[in-house]
Amino acid sequence: MEQCIVNPVRDKRDPELPPLGIFAVNPTDAFNFPALAEMYGLQQHFLFHSKLYSSDRFFLAGPAVGAPMAAMCLEKCIALGARYVIVYGWCGAVCDLLASGDVFLPTSGFSEEGTSDHYPGAGNFAPDVKLMGNVNKALSQAGYNTKQGPVWTIDAVYRETKAKVRYFGEQGVLGVDMEYTALSAVSAFRGISLAAVMLVSDELYHEKWRPQFNRKTFRRKTKQLLADLCREADGGGLKDL
């Protein structure tokens, strides 16, 4: 394998992260980090233009919008000790099997971002089966009904055309996001376990786009879902790894 010039490393001033962490990519969710850090005794650390908090039980990182930034932040977290990463973000619904407010777990991915092409052996962008199973079980016990299926990742949000939505819907794709396939490629390349949880924020399959992410009900749900993931991570509910 060709040697890279720049590599992610742990510097002397960097923390050593616990193996398990939550990587919340959306900036809106990052507003809740300080309260969660105080609740779980997490210490803040440097992570580029993102935020990083950790204890000896789990870490919380983000935001990191788009495939390149998300991949860079994940690479750094891996260099600091991350081995089991739960990505939390939002996605759009590509077909009527998903609706706004649904909780979606990607099972594979179709990449239209440019980052994953630089990571050999990305495959079909499948999550770690055991980690995904633990996450799904924990969410079910917390009262969530999850849906599963393929996701389409594109880093040009304003190029989600009607033709592409129709095409990917016909391929069995349920959701669309901006980071998943890149993060999956990084995790496969670095040999760590990764799974994703997405809250459906908008619906693209109608004649007219139907966003819901500015509604108070959606904001309450995304805040609660991230809090529930942190509770499970802190309490060991995801650690049967």
Side-chain angles (χ1 to χ4, degrees), residues 17 76 85 103 107 127 134 137 143 150 153 199 211-212 228 231:
L17 294 180
K76 183 65 176 183
V85 176
V103 178
T107 56
N134 289 347
K137 181 179 178 181
T153 300
L199 186 61
Q212 300 293 315
D228 288 338
R231 185 190 68 242

Side-chain angles (χ1 to χ4, degrees), residues 22-238:
I22 298 169
F23 187 24
V25 297
N26 197 286
T28 298
D29 292 310
F31 286 114
N32 299 312
F33 284 10
L36 292 167
E38 183 176 359
M39 181 180 299
Y40 294 109
L42 308 178
Q43 299 297 312
Q44 186 171 6
H45 313 287
F46 172 79
L47 184 64
F48 308 119
H49 294 295
S50 299
K51 299 180 186 297
L52 176 63
Y53 296 86
S54 72
S55 67
D56 60 352
R57 300 175 302 281
F58 78 103
F59 69 87
L60 177 61
V65 175
M69 188 64 186
M72 188 168 72
C73 288
L74 179 59
E75 285 270 30
K76 183 65 176 183
C77 288
I78 294 170
L80 299 183
R83 295 296 177 268
Y84 303 94
V85 176
I86 300 158
V87 177
Y88 175 60
W90 302 353
C91 73
V94 172
C95 69
D96 60 8
L97 295 177
L98 280 185
S100 294
D102 283 348
V103 178
F104 173 56
L105 279 59
T107 56
S108 61
F110 290 82
S111 174
E112 279 202 326
E113 39 78 18
T115 301
S116 58
D117 286 345
H118 299 280
Y119 287 86
N124 68 344
F125 307 105
D128 181 89
V129 174
K130 189 171 185 180
L131 181 58
M132 180 179 170
N134 289 347
V135 171
N136 193 34
K137 181 179 178 181
L139 290 174
S140 178
Q141 291 174 343
Y144 294 97
N145 295 315
T146 63
K147 297 183 178 180
Q148 301 179 18
V151 69
W152 156 40
T153 300
I154 179 171
D155 49 11
V157 66
Y158 295 117
R159 298 306 302 155
E160 296 173 354
T161 65
K162 288 185 176 182
K164 285 186 176 182
V165 169
R166 184 167 55 252
Y167 168 78
F168 282 108
E170 291 171 351
Q171 304 306 307
V173 171
L174 271 62
V176 58
D177 84 318
M178 297 179 65
E179 298 88 16
Y180 174 76
T181 54
L183 295 174
S184 177
V186 172
S187 70
F189 182 75
R190 297 297 180 187
I192 71 151
S193 299
L194 181 140
V197 178
M198 299 180 184
L199 186 61
V200 180
S201 60
D202 55 306
E203 299 168 2
L204 288 84
Y205 51 85
H206 304 286
E207 182 63 28
K208 186 176 180 181
W209 178 49
R210 296 184 185 178
Q212 300 293 315
F213 45 77
N214 285 325
R215 292 180 176 267
K216 290 182 179 179
T217 53
F218 180 87
R219 296 299 180 100
R220 284 195 295 267
K221 187 163 187 177
T222 190
K223 181 179 180 180
Q224 185 62 54
L225 183 48
L226 178 59
D228 288 338
L229 289 171
C230 287
R231 185 190 68 242
E232 292 296 328
D234 184 75
L238 304 172

